Amino acid sequence: MRNVIKYSILTLAGAAILGVTGPAPGYAQELTVTSWGGAYSMSQRKAYYEPFTKEFGITVLEDEWDGSMSKVRAMVDTGNYVTHLIDAETSDVLEGCDEGTLEEIDYSRLGGRDRFIPGAALDCGVGTITWSTIYAYDGDVFPEGGPRPTTIADLFDVEKFPGPRALYRDPDPLLEFALMADGVPMDQIFSTLETEEGIDRAFAKLDELKPHVKVWWTAGAQPPQLLADKEVVMATAWNGRIFNAVKNEGKNFVIVWDGQILDMDYWVIPKGHPEVDLAYKFIEFASRPEVMGNQSKYISYGPTVSAAVPFIDPAILKDLPTAPANTKNYLNANVEFWADHSEELRERLEAWLQK
Amino acid sequence: MAATTSTAEMIQTDDGVPLKLKLARAERMRKLGAFALVAPLLLFLVVTFISPIFSMLSLSVKNDVIPDALPETAALIQEWDGTGLPSPAVFRAFTIELAAAKKIKIHGKIGKRLNYEISGFRSLVKKTARKLPPPETSDAEIIDAFIAIDKRWGKTDYWNTIKRSSPQYTAFYLLTALDKRMDAQGNIVQAPEKTTIYVHMLVQTVWMSAIVTLLCLILGFPVSFLIATLPTRKSNILLMLVLLPFWTSLLVRTTAWVVLLQTEGLVNDLAVLLGFWDERIQLIHNRIGVYVAMVHILLPFMVLPIFSVMKGIPPSHYRAALSLGSNPLQSFIKVYLPQTIPGVGAGVLLVFIISLGYYITPALVGGPKDQMLSFFIALNTNVTVNWGLAAALSVVLLAVVMVFFTLYNRLVGIDNLKLN
C-alpha cells in the first residue's frame, strides 16, 4: 500500500514537472519591455502593449526599473539579456550611447528621422513621450478665491504661501528652479550654472527654502502620495503622475506650469540583443501616429511624432506639457550640461543637505 | 605490558612508537577528517562569497579605463614632468588612440573617468574625438591643432589629470571616499568644504548604528529574559511573536511604518485622541522614524542570541547565590549577568554590523540628515555607475567593521562568542 502511494506521488510529480518545463505548444514569441511602473506603465499597457499583442499575437511582458544604467551595462557585458526594450531618460540614452551599451538606431526601419519632433530622434534612442518637471500644490490648502501660486518663484515664497515642501533629491532640476526663482532669465540658466558664482547663487536661494523642505523625494510616486497624505503643501513632480492623481483618484492638486522643464523619454535597445528585430517591430508600432496619439487618453504626456498631434484626445490637450498655454515660460532640459556636471553638482547637493 | 613508564624514556605503545607521536598522528587525522567534511562548504564560500567580494574591493584601486583605452599615451605621458605641456609625441599618441577608441565606442568611458576629476572633461573628450587632427600633423603644429579645438587642451591641469589617471592602480577613489583630493603637485589635501560628505556620513553611520544597538539591547534583554524563564508553552508563543516580522518583506515593514508614523497617521491620531500630545509631532522623515523602524527590524537579531544563551544558564546558580545571602539585585548582577555576556556580545555584534550596512530603511523613513554611508554605496553602484567609488566606500566601511571587531575581541573575546 505504501509503495503504491509513493509511486503514484512520484509519477504525479514527474508529470507536473514535465508539463511545466516540457516543450511549449508551438513557438509563441514574447517581448519584454522595461519601464517605470505606476500610472505611466499603465498608460503604456493600454496604448501600446495590449494593441501590439492584438495585432501581432506577441505577448508583451512588463518589467520595471528605476533608471539604474548599471543593470543595462551588466546585461550587455554578460550577454544575459532580460529585456528587449527599455524606456530611458535623455541622460541615460546619451551616456549609454557613449559607452556602447545601447544599439544605434537605424531610422530607415522607422520611416526616417524627420517624422519625429526635434530632439526625439537620438542616435541610440527613439523618443516616445514629452514630459516635464513641474511643481504642484494642494488645491485645498490654497483654495480658489484666495492667493494661489502661479509662478516658479512662488515655490520659494514661504511668506505668501507657507507650508512644507517636497523636492526631488537631484541637482537637476533643483538648481534650475532655484536660479529661475532668483530671477535668472531662461536663456542664461545653464551658462550661469557653469560658473562657481552661479552655483553659489542657486544654493543661496535654496538655503532660504531648506528649513521648509520636509521630504527630499527619490521615487516618482512619492510627490502625489505626500500631497495626498497632507504631509506637504507643494511638491516638485513629474507632470503625468500629478495628472493621474487628479484624473483617476479625484485629488485636488493644481499644476503650476510656469518654469516647467521639458524633457523626453526614449525607447532604447541593449546593445547586441539577439532579437533586435522584435524590438524594432515594437518601436515601429509605437511610433505610428494613431497609436502614439492614443496614449494621451491615459496620461498627460505629449507625443514625439508630429503626425500624432491630430490623434490626441482633445480633452487632454490643455494638460500636455507642450500645450501653448503651458509653454509661456519653460526651459528645455540640457542633457549635455548635466552629462558634464551631474557628478560634481550631486556631490555639492549631498554635502549641502548634510549641513 | 602495554606501556613502560620510565622517567628517562618516553611512554611507548605496543609497537614501540612513542605515545606522543601516535597521539599527534591521531589528532592530525581527526583534523584532516574534519577539514574534509568542511571542504565543500569552504569551496562554495570562497567561490560565491569571498572572491566576488575581493574582486569588488579591488575595483576601489583599479584604474584600467585609461591604460586600456590609451596605452601608448599613458606610457608616454609618464615621462612628462607635469609642468607646461607634454611633448608632441604624447599629443600624437592621444590623437591616434582617441580615434581608435571612438571607432569602438569606448571614448565615452574615457571622458567619464576624467570627468570625475575635472567637470566638463566628458564633453571635452567627445568634442575632441569628433574633430581630431590627422596623425600625420607635424610636431610643430599638433599642439596648436588641439588648442584650436578647445582652449582647455592648453592647460597643464587637464594634461596632469590624464597623467594622474594613467597608472593601472590609483588612490583616487579611496581618497575621495575619505574626502581628500590630490592637488596638481601630487600632495594629498582636504577636498573643498562644499563637497565633503563621506567622513561625516561615516561618523553618522557609526553613531546611528551604535544608538540602534543600544536601543535594541535595552528593549531586547528583558524580552529574552522573559522568554528564557517562562514555561515552554508560553515562551514558544512569545518566541514566535518575536520571529513574526521575519515573515514579512523588509520593504513592507518599512512602508508600514510610514503609514503609522505620518503626521496624519495612526500614531499621531491615537496620541491626540488620548491626549498624549496636543499638536501632531513629526515622527517620520527624521531621526525618530529611522530609529523606530530600524529597532523594529533588528530586535529579533538581539533577542535570539541572548535568549539562547540564557536558556543554557542553570537557574540553580541564581538560587544558590540567594541562599548564600546576597540580595536579588546583587545575585542578578554578579551571578546571572556575567553568564549572559557571550549572548549579549553576539547580539550586539550582529545588530551593530547589520545596521552599519542598512540604507533602505533610512532612505524611506529618514530625512536627508539621516542617511547612512551605504546609501552612497548604492547610489554609486546603481545611479552614477561609479563602481570605483562604491568599492572605495565599501572598503572604508569594511575597515571600520574590522576595527570594531578587533575592539570587541579585546573587550569580550572571540572565544566568548556563543550563539547557543
Side-chain angles (χ1 to χ4, degrees):
Chain A
M1 189 54 195
R2 226 187 267 158
N3 265 348
V4 175
I5 294 184
K6 190 161 83 176
Y7 270 109
S8 45
I9 291 179
L10 274 173
T11 332
L12 271 171
I17 292 172
L18 269 176
V20 168
T21 59
Y27 182 45
Q29 273 195 311
E30 275 175 359
L31 175 81
T32 313
V33 184
T34 306
S35 186
W36 301 87
Y40 179 49
S41 278
M42 194 263 301
S43 73
Q44 292 176 310
R45 193 181 311 139
K46 295 249 162 53
Y48 299 126
Y49 310 155
E50 286 169 8
F52 183 77
T53 308
K54 208 144 104 193
E55 175 154 333
F56 293 103
I58 302 174
T59 333
V60 176
L61 299 173
E62 285 182 52
D63 188 20
E64 256 179 58
W65 76 320
D66 57 355
S68 307
M69 278 305 278
S70 57
K71 303 211 170 88
V72 186
R73 182 166 140 182
M75 221 188 294
V76 173
D77 282 347
T78 58
N80 184 16
Y81 297 95
V82 297
T83 185
H84 291 80
L85 286 155
I86 307 170
D87 179 311
E89 295 188 328
T90 327
S91 56
D92 297 328
V93 180
L94 290 180
E95 177 169 331
C97 208
D98 282 345
E99 299 187 8
T101 319
L102 301 174
E103 282 281 338
E104 274 191 50
I105 305 287
D106 177 8
Y107 280 92
S108 60
R109 297 173 76 159
L110 301 170
R113 277 191 136 105
D114 301 328
R115 281 182 62 212
F116 296 88
I117 63 178
L122 293 182
D123 286 340
C124 295
V126 183
T128 169
I129 52 157
T130 59
W131 58 280
S132 71
T133 310
I134 42 86
Y135 81 94
Y137 63 88
D138 189 341
D140 296 331
V141 175
F142 304 111
E144 275 190 53
R148 291 192 129 185
T150 47
T151 68
I152 187 67
D154 290 339
L155 175 64
F156 290 75
D157 192 341
V158 290
E159 274 142 30
K160 214 154 97 189
F161 304 103
R165 278 97 161 116
L167 299 179
Y168 188 24
R169 188 179 175 154
D170 200 298
D172 171 22
L174 192 66
L175 299 181
E176 289 105 306
F177 282 152
L179 285 182
M180 279 185 221
D182 205 33
V184 177
M186 287 304 194
D187 52 5
Q188 287 171 25
I189 297 266
F190 289 107
S191 49
T192 314
L193 272 180
E194 296 251 358
T195 66
E196 193 64 29
E197 302 80 48
I199 301 173
D200 288 339
R201 184 175 173 181
F203 276 104
K205 186 76 185 166
L206 285 168
D207 275 331
E208 291 171 21
L209 190 60
K210 197 171 172 199
H212 302 269
V213 181
K214 197 176 192 188
V215 182
W216 290 91
W217 59 269
T218 52
Q222 278 176 282
Q225 186 66 51
L226 291 165
L227 283 168
D229 291 336
K230 308 258 182 232
E231 288 277 310
V232 298
V233 302
M234 285 193 214
T236 54
W238 301 330
N239 72 303
R241 305 293 187 124
I242 301 290
F243 172 81
N244 178 62
V246 169
K247 176 157 179 256
N248 297 330
E249 293 166 29
K251 296 287 174 202
N252 185 10
F253 303 149
V254 182
I255 293 181
V256 176
W257 290 101
D258 182 75
Q260 63 153 317
I261 300 183
L262 217 45
D263 206 340
M264 287 191 223
D265 261 24
Y266 301 80
W267 293 120
V268 298
I269 310 173
K271 193 173 180 92
H273 200 292
E275 292 185 335
V276 126
D277 297 327
L278 195 54
Y280 269 101
K281 203 183 198 122
F282 179 84
I283 301 181
E284 188 278 319
F285 178 79
S287 313
R288 293 187 197 167
E290 65 279 9
V291 174
M292 191 180 268
N294 204 24
Q295 192 183 13
S296 62
K297 265 222 288 279
Y298 308 103
I299 203 161
S300 60
Y301 291 142
T304 50
V305 167
S306 344
V309 175
F311 293 93
I312 296 179
D313 190 355
I316 212 172
L317 267 172
K318 61 170 171 46
D319 291 308
L320 293 185
T322 40
N326 302 335
T327 46
K328 295 233 169 66
N329 188 26
Y330 76 100
L331 185 68
N332 268 317
N334 185 344
V335 188
E336 295 284 354
F337 172 85
W338 287 109
D340 273 342
H341 298 273
S342 72
E343 275 125 11
E344 178 201 350
L345 290 176
R346 184 186 289 276
E347 258 185 5
R348 277 284 299 256
L349 176 67
E350 292 295 333
W352 175 80
L353 281 173
Q354 301 309 317
K355 307 234 185 310
Chain B
M1 264 289 276
T4 49
T5 45
S6 147
T7 48
E9 302 169 3
M10 288 194 291
I11 305 177
Q12 291 192 333
T13 56
D14 268 345
D15 48 2
V17 180
L19 182 62
K20 206 161 150 185
L21 237 64
K22 262 259 166 99
L23 210 62
R25 206 176 290 164
E27 267 300 306
R28 241 198 335 259
M29 291 312 291
R30 197 181 63 80
K31 280 203 179 126
L32 226 64
F35 184 72
L37 284 174
V38 178
L41 179 64
L42 199 61
L43 192 65
F44 179 76
L45 278 178
V46 167
V47 169
T48 62
F49 187 67
I50 299 182
S51 24
I53 290 193
F54 264 103
S55 109
M56 223 282 283
L57 292 180
S58 70
L59 281 178
S60 62
V61 289
K62 270 213 192 119
N63 183 49
D64 32 15
V65 175
I66 308 285
D68 283 352
L70 308 169
E72 184 78 27
T73 319
L76 285 173
I77 206 169
Q78 293 308 316
E79 297 162 17
W80 173 49
D81 64 354
T83 55
L85 287 177
S87 66
V90 173
F91 279 81
R92 180 160 303 111
F94 189 55
T95 294
I96 300 174
E97 294 184 322
L98 189 56
K102 176 162 194 278
K103 267 219 183 76
I104 54 174
K105 295 226 119 208
I106 57 171
H107 63 299
K109 282 197 213 164
I110 300 175
K112 182 175 175 180
R113 170 60 184 89
L114 295 170
N115 205 57
Y116 292 154
E117 305 223 24
I118 304 187
S119 256
F121 230 124
R122 196 183 238 163
S123 60
L124 177 60
V125 170
K126 260 173 73 173
K127 178 172 156 193
T128 310
R130 278 191 298 241
K131 304 189 193 162
L132 282 170
E136 310 84 53
T137 318
S138 71
D139 275 3
E141 296 180 339
I142 197 162
I143 297 187
D144 291 328
F146 262 87
I147 299 183
I149 301 176
D150 193 298
K151 290 195 306 246
R152 288 176 281 183
W153 289 123
K155 295 209 181 139
T156 318
D157 264 351
Y158 281 76
W159 288 102
N160 250 325
T161 306
I162 298 183
K163 178 172 183 213
R164 263 203 312 273
S165 335
S166 301
Q168 288 276 2
Y169 294 100
T170 177
F172 172 70
Y173 299 115
L174 286 170
L175 286 175
T176 310
L178 296 168
D179 284 337
K180 301 237 182 295
R181 297 252 188 286
M182 212 178 255
D183 68 5
Q185 282 75 41
N187 308 318
I188 298 180
V189 294
Q190 185 75 0
E193 175 70 30
K194 294 182 199 155
T195 59
T196 57
I197 334 166
Y198 303 114
V199 173
H200 169 91
M201 277 277 105
L202 184 66
V203 172
Q204 185 167 289
T205 305
V206 172
W207 172 254
M208 282 172 68
S209 304
I211 298 285
V212 168
T213 309
L214 189 65
L215 288 173
C216 280
L217 187 61
I218 295 174
L219 290 173
F221 194 90
V223 175
S224 314
F225 183 70
L226 191 65
I227 302 180
T229 49
L230 278 180
T232 324
R233 254 228 333 245
K234 291 205 189 124
S235 74
N236 274 344
I237 298 177
L238 275 180
L239 201 59
M240 213 158 57
L241 285 176
V242 170
L243 291 172
L244 206 61
F246 283 148
W247 297 353
T248 42
S249 122
L250 180 71
L251 277 179
V252 170
R253 277 182 270 163
T254 309
T255 39
W257 279 116
V258 176
V259 172
L260 283 172
L261 295 175
Q262 290 178 123
T263 316
E264 303 285 325
L266 289 171
V267 172
N268 265 313
D269 280 345
L270 259 173
V272 168
L273 193 72
L274 297 173
F276 287 149
W277 51 76
D278 298 320
E279 283 240 359
R280 289 160 183 276
I281 310 185
Q282 185 177 349
L283 295 167
I284 206 162
H285 300 302
N286 59 11
R287 199 56 71 90
I288 301 177
V290 176
Y291 285 152
V292 168
M294 282 184 74
V295 168
H296 171 230
I297 294 171
L298 293 172
L299 204 53
F301 292 103
M302 181 66 81
V303 167
L304 290 172
I306 301 183
F307 152 75
S308 319
V309 168
M310 281 182 176
K311 199 98 186 123
I313 301 177
S316 51
H317 290 185
Y318 177 72
R319 288 202 288 268
L322 283 178
S323 73
L324 286 171
S326 82
N327 57 46
L329 187 65
Q330 256 191 328
S331 315
F332 185 79
I333 295 178
K334 289 235 168 96
V335 175
Y336 192 78
L337 219 52
Q339 294 190 332
T340 62
I341 291 289
V344 169
V348 162
L349 197 65
L350 206 55
V351 170
F352 184 72
I353 293 184
I354 295 179
S355 58
L356 276 180
Y358 257 51
Y359 72 95
I360 297 187
T361 307
L364 284 173
V365 301
K369 292 219 177 95
D370 310 313
Q371 302 311 312
M372 314 261 256
L373 195 63
S374 342
F375 173 78
F376 291 95
I377 300 180
L379 184 80
N380 281 304
T381 309
N382 288 327
V383 179
T384 62
V385 197
N386 185 348
W387 288 350
L389 185 55
L393 289 169
S394 311
V395 168
V396 171
L397 203 57
L398 193 63
V400 170
V401 170
M402 289 284 127
V403 166
F404 274 98
F405 194 69
T406 325
L407 256 172
Y408 169 86
N409 196 19
R410 218 144 278 216
L411 286 172
V412 181
I414 191 73
D415 294 325
N416 237 345
L417 191 84
K418 267 209 275 179
L419 286 166
N420 77 320

